[in-house]
Amino acid sequence: MAHCLVTGGAGFIGSHVAEALLSRGHRVSVLDDLSGGTAERVPEGAHLFTGSVTDVELVDRLFAEQRFDHVFHFAAFAAEAISHSVKSLNYGTNVMGSVNLINAALRTGVSFFCFASSVAVYGHGETPMRESSIPVPADSYGNAKLTVERELETTMRTQGLPFTAFRMHNVYGEWQNMRDPYRNAVAIFFNQILRGEPISVYGDGGQVRAFSYVKDIVDVIVRAPETEKAWGRAFNVGSSRTNTVLELAQAVRAAAGVPSHPIAHLPARDEVMVAYTATEEAREVFGDWADTPLADGLARTAAWAASVGPAELRSSFEIEIGGERVPEWAQCVADRLSGADR
Ligand SMILES: NC(=O)c1ccc[n+]([C@@H]2O[C@H](COP(=O)([O-])OP(=O)(O)OC[C@H]3O[C@@H](n4cnc5c(N)ncnc54)[C@H](O)[C@@H]3O)[C@@H](O)[C@H]2O)c1
């Protein structure tokens, strides 16, 4: 049994990771500032420490007292599309928060560090995105994820801390944050249906994505500490089955039992148009994993969403650069949050 720290363990993917680690017999502690997650989602049996990964004193004290064996770092500011408008929050949380954890891990003898990275590291590169391609992030969020991956490589080489990074994309499932208006298309769409609002799609909805059911990827992630062949590497993990965002909206309507629910088109935004990954490298190391069909995963998510009901929208941050630099689509979301378009 290992003592595992899951940062972001009150959030969506981190809480599933915490649950899976507990069911594998590990002791689990969670560090989360509850900016996006909720205490009620921390699985029974895991201990919640409420606080931020940016709080150096707290992080150092926690590591010194708790003597973690493994760290699963899932806490992040994760609204990618808006990340360049909140640079300080993005880099402060995603880079410096990660550095604080790496330092504390080195000081206290942590034996493995797992990092939640993202396909955002690839930017507008070739598709399917492959680990062998040179990453060129297209936004501040991708820059931050790549920086941490690189720092972990350096730390393993120079100071011997084994790590594995997982480049995930468009993960969905039960307990996804439905309050955040800036990210998680699946959760946004279910919440819009529950709130009786049209489903909002950016541009024509032709963006191509692969949507991954959360439990499929978590089953892979929790095996990283004992999979030595995976150490020192970053892997794509998730589904390679693609859909457009418009198809997703239609599938969500079907899963929720409202196939004619209206779909509204918002101004297009600057985003990667085709994003999905090749996963052979991870499959070679971890073996095959379940690839839950979209309709099945959405049916489970729909049942969960209906059981919790509509969520009040809220943004957990302020846009740092205001005025004309706020993109048109983001202004639409801000108007919605303030009730200006009602
Ligand atoms: N959901 C996806 O499709 C996806 C894709 C690629 C990568 N990721 C990465 O996976 C990780 C988890 O994402 P998620 O979708 O579960 O998001 P989430 O927002 O549900 O979870 C993130 C958690 O981190 C916590 N958090 C945020 N800032 C913190 C801080 N400063 N200190 C402590 N806790 C903090 C939040 O309260 C939340 O509980 C993130 O690192 C994200 O960048 C997610």
Side-chain angles (χ1 to χ4, degrees):
M1 180 187 79
H3 186 184
C4 304
L5 173 68
V6 183
T7 72
F12 169 46
I13 306 176
S15 64
H16 284 278
V17 168
E19 216 166 52
L21 290 169
L22 285 166
S23 72
R24 288 166 74 88
H26 297 301
R27 181 177 163 207
V28 175
S29 294
V30 163
L31 173 61
D32 199 299
D33 70 356
L34 305 182
S35 56
T38 54
E40 62 154 337
R41 174 49 189 151
V42 176
E44 206 181 318
H47 185 84
L48 170 65
F49 294 94
T50 306
S52 174
V53 295
T54 59
D55 182 342
V56 184
E57 211 179 298
L58 168 74
V59 168
D60 284 351
R61 195 178 62 242
L62 204 60
F63 275 70
E65 285 172 5
Q66 298 295 321
R67 313 307 294 190
F68 304 116
D69 300 300
H70 302 155
V71 173
F72 291 81
H73 178 29
F74 282 70
F77 164 76
E80 175 178 6
I82 208 77
S83 60
H84 33 274
S85 295
V86 288
K87 296 180 199 305
S88 170
L89 176 65
N90 172 65
Y91 291 110
T93 305
N94 296 353
V95 177
M96 287 316 297
S98 302
V99 168
N100 294 339
L101 296 169
I102 296 168
N103 277 346
L106 285 169
R107 281 195 209 105
T108 57
V110 166
S111 61
F112 178 77
F113 196 105
C114 177
F115 176 56
S117 188
S118 164
V119 299
V121 300
Y122 295 115
H124 295 271
E126 51 162 346
T127 42
M129 295 152 163
R130 293 182 191 280
E131 292 90 340
S132 55
S133 60
I134 295 172
V136 185
D139 53 43
S140 306
Y141 172 78
N143 287 339
K145 290 292 186 190
L146 186 60
T147 300
V148 176
E149 281 190 14
R150 295 241 156 106
E151 182 51 35
L152 283 166
E153 280 161 27
T154 305
T155 302
M156 182 167 166
R157 184 164 34 80
T158 59
Q159 286 146 301
L161 173 63
F163 83 95
T164 303
F166 290 99
R167 294 173 177 170
M168 303 175 285
H169 56 106
N170 294 96
V171 186
Y172 73 94
E174 299 93 324
W175 290 99
Q176 193 153 25
N177 181 349
M178 291 201 292
R179 289 166 303 169
D180 191 332
Y182 291 104
R183 60 184 290 252
N184 304 330
V186 171
I188 288 173
F189 293 172
F190 274 118
N191 197 34
Q192 287 173 329
I193 290 173
L194 288 168
R195 290 164 63 89
E197 298 168 357
I199 293 178
S200 58
V201 163
Y202 292 108
D204 65 2
Q207 305 91 327
V208 175
R209 299 287 184 267
F211 298 94
S212 306
Y213 181 60
V214 63
K215 290 186 198 293
D216 296 347
I217 63 160
V218 164
D219 279 350
V220 177
I221 289 168
V222 294
R223 286 190 276 127
E226 67 259 18
T227 309
E228 267 190 63
K229 272 166 70 181
W231 294 0
R233 297 174 65 181
F235 293 98
N236 297 334
V237 65
S239 177
S240 297
R241 278 190 276 222
T242 59
N243 288 94
T244 65
V245 170
L246 189 57
E247 286 166 352
L248 174 73
Q250 289 157 347
V252 167
R253 293 194 303 195
V258 288
S260 335
H261 193 86
I263 294 176
H265 291 266
L266 297 185
R269 56 184 185 177
D270 176 26
E271 60 184 318
V272 177
M273 283 310 288
V274 183
Y276 66 98
T277 59
T279 53
E280 291 87 356
E281 285 203 18
R283 287 179 198 276
E284 199 187 310
V285 171
F286 291 97
D288 253 345
W289 58 78
D291 191 355
T292 301
L294 186 62
D296 296 355
L298 289 180
R300 290 180 215 168
T301 312
W304 166 77
S307 75
V308 295
E312 200 58 45
L313 292 183
R314 75 173 167 85
S315 169
S316 52
F317 61 90
E318 295 295 324
I319 290 181
E320 293 163 10
I321 309 153
E324 288 169 6
R325 289 182 200 275
V326 178
E328 195 190 350
W329 69 267
Q331 194 56 56
C332 286
V333 177
D335 289 347
R336 222 174 127 224
L337 277 179
S338 66
D341 64 345
R342 282 187 201 136

